[in-house]
Amino acid sequence: MLDDLAAVDWAALTHRHGPAADVPDLLRAVAEGDSDALDALEEDLVCAADGVYPATTQAVPFLIRILDVAAAETGAVLGTLSRMLSGGRHAHEPDAAPATRAAVVAGLPSYLRLLAAHPDEQVRSAAAYLIGELGPDVAGGASATLRQASVVDRAEVVRAAAVRALASRGETADDRLADPSPMVRLVAAMALSGADPAAPLPGPVVQILERDALAARDVIARTQDADRPLTWVLEELAPRYDLQVRLVTGWLRHPSAEVRRAAGSAVSTPLRAWPPAAALLAGPLAEALDDPDEQVRAEAADRLASAGAAAGLTAEPSP
């Protein structure tokens, strides 16, 4: 599958650390399932500062082929391709950006097949994410396959990933507001929220956000690399800052101390982004100064202090 690696003059290409002569050996190791080699390859080929390189473009077709190698870590390779796509929005050498993007887009049939049929839900989720990142200009059955996955896939994480991918393509999945999974309902509500941030959200959609953000916390933490799931929810809802305030106010008054602690951390999201939030949240935060949970009281005091004069309160928790 990689027999033609030598057909590329890798030494004449460059990556982050200079000549790319090491890329063929790294690609072979990636095909054998070597995660360290994949990390090294990504470090060579994608840089946050410079983007992608000429060697990145040439490596992409081989990575797409590696997706079909049984020993490879397919989900991780899809993640690397996603980051190459993101890095391809700018480049160390200007021609490398559009060329890398075109190379990743060319793998769409492989991503669609993995989403539809791979036995590992993490791979299917990663494939959905990458398809979404390709953007609305890429057709080739992308939307139809994502919609199919959002309905029929047996794993809630895959259905949720498909809904989020549709949102990345500028599409909503309103039928998934009735999905049996709180996570899928939540991301469907988020997609509707983001489709037109200036339009009022229907009451039932707001109710889904209020209810299912809490019910989906564990899935969010597991699938979104989010150690603070409620903060992740609020960030996803920007720029609906009034909705952020509404949600976090309810969480600060929740019967569960665990939820109130998470809310105490999440409240900084609207406070940082929206000046009116300080005055709107002053009352709920003042109430939290008397919370029976010590951590909640401390979080409330910190947030009131950071809110400053707009809150109009002193941040002294009760003994």
Side-chain angles (χ1 to χ4, degrees), residues 21-117:
D22 59 334
V23 169
D25 286 342
L26 288 173
L27 285 167
R28 292 187 187 96
V30 170
E32 295 171 358
D34 187 333
S35 59
D36 291 337
L38 184 60
D39 289 343
L41 184 71
E42 187 170 330
E43 182 181 349
D44 280 348
L45 299 180
V46 186
C47 173
D50 293 331
V52 294
Y53 303 84
T56 312
T57 304
Q58 296 297 321
V60 167
F62 294 101
L63 287 170
I64 292 170
R65 289 191 219 169
I66 287 171
L67 293 172
D68 289 319
V69 177
E73 295 187 356
T74 306
V77 174
L78 286 166
T80 293
L81 287 166
S82 294
R83 288 181 284 278
M84 287 177 169
L85 185 68
S86 298
R89 296 188 178 106
H90 53 104
H92 184 68
E93 295 185 14
D95 290 346
T100 295
R101 173 173 172 77
V104 176
V105 169
L108 176 62
S110 294
Y111 317 146
L112 294 174
R113 176 173 42 76
L114 291 170
L115 172 58

Side-chain angles (χ1 to χ4, degrees), residues 168-185:
S168 295
R169 294 174 59 80
E171 303 177 35
T172 61
D174 298 6
D175 59 315
R176 294 300 89 210
L177 294 169
D179 193 277
S181 162
M183 183 64 182
V184 179
R185 295 193 300 264

Side-chain angles (χ1 to χ4, degrees), residues 275-286:
L280 293 171
L281 287 166
L285 286 170

